[in-house]
Amino acid sequence: MAENRTEIAELGEFGLINRLAASFSNQLSSTVKGIGDDAAVIDLGEDYGLLTTDMLAEGIHFDLTFHPLRHLGYKAIAVNVSDIAAMNGTPQQVVVSLGLSNRFSVEAVEELYKGIRSACDDYKVDLVGGDTTASKSGLIISVSVFGRVAKDKITYRSTAGANDILCVTGDLGGAYIGLQILAREKQVFQADSNMQPDFEGKEYVLQRQLKPEARMDVVYELAEAGVVPTAMIDVSDGLSSEIHHICVQSGTGAVVFEENVPIDDQTVYEASALNLGPITAATNGGEDYELLFTIKPEDHPKLKNNPKITFIGYLTADKGKILLRTKSGTVLPMQAQGWQHLS
Ligand code: ADP
Ligand code: MG
């Protein structure tokens, strides 16, 4: 046994998934797309069905010392809906599974479910089932979402082309900066429990971390504008990582202009206060749950006045070569930390 042991960290998260997936092939003609995109795609006849799952584990994805249970419930739904949004689809049903330790009271679980219900209302999805079990190592929340998309509207990661314009919704880096502030305030509190956390003026970045939104609003606005992106993914692991996914799967490269990457003023200010570069938070931070997508240049006029969308660069024919042009004009390879997530 011992000589055959490979550490998971050696492969990284994506390497591990690829290795496990290699021994599976799809047996059903209704399985249109299996592993490798934001959601699996199932042929339902007239439409495609979309199926995705994401798990949140205590101590890995959240810390209950500062994450209100209601926000956590909301986030568990939102991050899953975000993967349906990334396929240009509409979420419909969710199932929620919980691993609970005896640390939790009925009232605490009800509080979690208030957030779940609020997200179900906001995204117009029905909670239709789940599973409940005991857990010895903290709270685990696993959510799966089923959604739908018209066959001619689906957006994969693998279908972008050279010269397509790279677009991103909202702003980036806030969730990561919010997390750094929460971690710092926790340390201060642990050192001296008389110290009250200082969250004033930091509400936006904290909300980005604790209660993110899926960009279903943009999915509807793309439909209204008559635009089907050539590729789309949601920003869960950081902009660099997601651009790598689109480029590797589409066989393209990319050029990103640092000055175009949207970063909120509060993120810039708080990043500087933490001695962090705002662009690093935006490109490698993750958990923003914005949408990254590509469009044909001729569709640019249809979106150029939408304040929720920023054009950050373009794709090239240089396969896998992803470059960042900094504000000073230097061109650097764009590193993607998300590619070594478990290491
Ligand atoms: P996302 O960040 O969009 O949720 P992930 O990076 O988690 O996507 O997963 C990438 C792909 O790998 C998806 O198709 C996902 O369904 C699949 N995947 C992840 N973990 C496993 C696993 N343990 N077994 C099979 N497929 C997996
Ligand atoms: Mg995703």
Side-chain angles (χ1 to χ4, degrees):
M1 278 294 279
E3 58 272 22
N4 265 336
R5 185 187 160 92
T6 310
E7 298 303 328
I8 291 174
E10 269 176 56
L11 292 181
E13 179 186 353
F14 302 129
L16 176 65
I17 295 170
N18 286 342
R19 180 153 149 175
L20 298 174
S23 56
F24 285 81
S25 58
N26 298 323
Q27 308 172 55
L28 305 177
S29 60
S30 56
T31 308
V32 178
K33 174 80 194 174
I35 296 169
D37 217 300
D38 292 287
V41 181
I42 302 150
D43 196 339
L44 301 178
E46 198 176 332
D47 287 339
Y48 283 141
L50 301 168
L51 187 58
T52 181
T53 191
D54 252 310
M55 182 155 61
L56 300 180
E58 184 176 353
I60 307 287
H61 300 97
F62 59 88
D63 183 333
L64 287 175
T65 48
F66 50 65
H67 212 138
L69 282 166
R70 201 184 287 208
H71 288 359
L72 183 61
Y74 194 97
K75 181 171 180 173
I77 300 296
V79 303
N80 276 277
V81 168
S82 181
D83 278 322
I84 299 291
M87 306 304 289
N88 210 22
T90 309
Q92 295 193 324
Q93 284 84 18
V94 296
V95 291
V96 175
S97 299
L98 296 180
L100 292 168
S101 70
N102 56 13
R103 217 169 82 231
F104 290 89
S105 63
V106 172
E107 288 73 21
V109 183
E110 279 177 336
E111 194 61 19
L112 181 77
Y113 266 69
K114 278 183 190 158
I116 290 178
R117 201 174 64 215
S118 168
C120 287
D121 288 346
D122 283 0
Y123 298 118
K124 297 184 179 56
V125 296
D126 288 332
L127 172 68
V128 295
D131 194 22
T132 310
T133 175
S135 159
K136 283 191 177 172
S137 58
L139 178 61
I140 309 244
I141 311 167
S142 171
V143 175
S144 302
V145 185
F146 175 80
R148 256 179 202 266
V149 60
K151 286 185 173 174
D152 58 349
K153 300 277 158 39
I154 192 162
T155 52
Y156 294 105
R157 295 175 176 180
S158 57
T159 41
N163 302 318
D164 287 357
I165 300 173
L166 256 180
C167 314
V168 72
T169 62
D171 57 80
L172 301 173
Y176 178 76
I177 295 302
L179 182 62
Q180 301 313 307
I181 290 170
L182 289 164
R184 182 189 65 195
E185 294 303 316
K186 183 183 174 183
Q187 270 193 340
V188 170
F189 183 75
Q190 280 175 336
D192 177 0
S193 58
N194 291 319
M195 292 291 288
Q196 286 305 303
D198 171 22
F199 292 151
E200 209 178 302
K202 304 174 175 65
E203 292 81 4
Y204 179 69
V205 292
L206 294 173
Q207 176 238 314
R208 295 289 287 166
Q209 170 58 221
L210 298 172
K211 189 174 173 283
E213 295 282 355
R215 297 312 302 258
M216 282 309 302
D217 56 332
V218 174
V219 172
Y220 298 127
E221 286 171 31
L222 287 170
E224 276 163 29
V227 175
V228 180
T230 54
M232 186 144 68
I233 188 169
D234 69 326
V235 183
S236 52
D237 289 336
L239 180 67
S240 305
S241 176
E242 315 308 353
I243 293 178
H244 273 79
H245 280 303
I246 285 185
C247 287
V248 168
Q249 293 194 31
S250 295
T252 67
V255 177
V256 176
F257 298 96
E258 180 186 0
E259 62 190 343
N260 291 11
V261 174
I263 307 177
D264 186 82
D265 288 347
Q266 197 174 94
T267 305
V268 173
Y269 182 83
E270 295 299 335
S272 307
L274 288 159
N275 272 324
L276 296 168
I279 188 67
T280 309
T283 55
N284 288 329
E287 287 205 283
D288 292 308
Y289 298 101
E290 296 294 342
L291 293 172
L292 173 74
F293 60 97
T294 52
I295 57 168
K296 291 267 165 248
E298 52 265 35
D299 279 335
H300 178 257
K302 298 181 195 162
L303 299 180
K304 72 175 197 297
N305 292 325
N306 188 325
K308 297 176 182 172
I309 298 170
T310 310
F311 308 97
I312 59 168
Y314 60 91
L315 300 190
T316 66
D318 229 341
K319 190 176 175 176
K321 194 162 184 187
I322 296 145
L323 303 172
L324 179 73
R325 182 181 281 272
T326 67
K327 286 177 184 166
S328 62
T330 314
V331 177
L332 305 168
M334 208 168 171
Q335 309 290 351
Q337 280 172 6
W339 289 67
Q340 291 98 35
H341 216 62
L342 291 178
S343 56

